[in-house]
Amino acid sequence: MSRLLFLVVIVTVSVLAACRSKPTGGEGFRTLAKGYTTGLGDSSAGRIARNAEEWRLLWNEHTSTQLPRPPAPEVDFSREMAVCVLSEQRPSGGYGIEVVGTRWTDEQLVVVIRTTEPAQDAVVPMVITRPYHMVATPRTTAPVRFENP
């Protein structure tokens, strides 16, 4: 029985590792980090770090469940800020959230996100997840609104 449990754990970890996206960019942003587990515990859909101290605190909370903690990606706060979108906790793999674009409207920065769910017949790892996507956008003091069309 312990061999079966070991095999299940190895397969689950392998699937989760394979699902991690490589850093990419898009219209008006670049990816800092993206994945399926985070130490960010609040239920808000988005977090913003406009300076190095806010970024340090956000990254430390995000990596609080990881050992060893990875170093924070570089953000040039003279021209960028960090934006994190996160999903609520999910009962399995197969869920996702990502920033797909940014745009300006009515003196606000709109961060456009897309969420995904697994198909009903999908084979997914049975592990609790909390998908997230952290991006760098042009720096602004204007309000930020998150939109999931």
Side-chain angles (χ1 to χ4, degrees):
M1 183 66 175
S2 65
R3 280 187 160 170
L4 178 60
L5 179 60
F6 178 75
L7 181 60
V8 168
V9 169
I10 293 299
V11 169
T12 300
V13 169
S14 298
V15 168
L16 286 175
C19 290
R20 288 188 66 120
S21 297
K22 293 181 179 176
T24 58
E27 188 69 29
F29 70 93
R30 69 180 173 89
T31 294
L32 299 170
K34 186 175 180 182
Y36 300 95
T37 59
T38 180
L40 295 170
D42 68 0
S43 60
S44 66
R47 305 265 300 262
I48 300 167
R50 288 188 164 98
N51 60 53
E53 179 61 14
E54 290 174 354
W55 177 233
R56 185 187 67 75
L57 292 171
L58 177 64
W59 188 258
N60 282 345
E61 185 179 351
H62 164 64
T63 60
S64 63
T65 59
Q66 299 176 34
L67 287 176
R69 288 185 176 192
E74 293 292 323
V75 179
D76 178 0
F77 288 101
S78 67
R79 57 185 191 83
E80 297 177 309
M81 64 183 191
V83 176
C84 175
V85 295
L86 35 135
S87 172
E88 60 192 31
Q89 187 170 299
R90 300 299 188 166
S92 70
Y95 292 89
I97 189 168
E98 69 177 323
V99 174
V100 294
T102 61
R103 71 176 189 283
W104 282 95
T105 187
D106 298 331
E107 302 298 321
Q108 331 181 295
L109 175 63
V110 177
V111 177
V112 182
I113 61 174
R114 177 177 50 220
T115 56
T116 55
E117 296 183 359
Q120 287 189 352
D121 61 347
V123 177
V124 296
M126 297 310 296
V127 59
I128 294 173
T129 61
R130 182 142 194 229
Y132 67 91
H133 190 186
M134 295 181 183
V135 300
T137 67
R139 181 175 171 77
T140 181
T141 58
V144 176
R145 181 169 52 98
F146 299 95
E147 184 178 281
N148 189 0

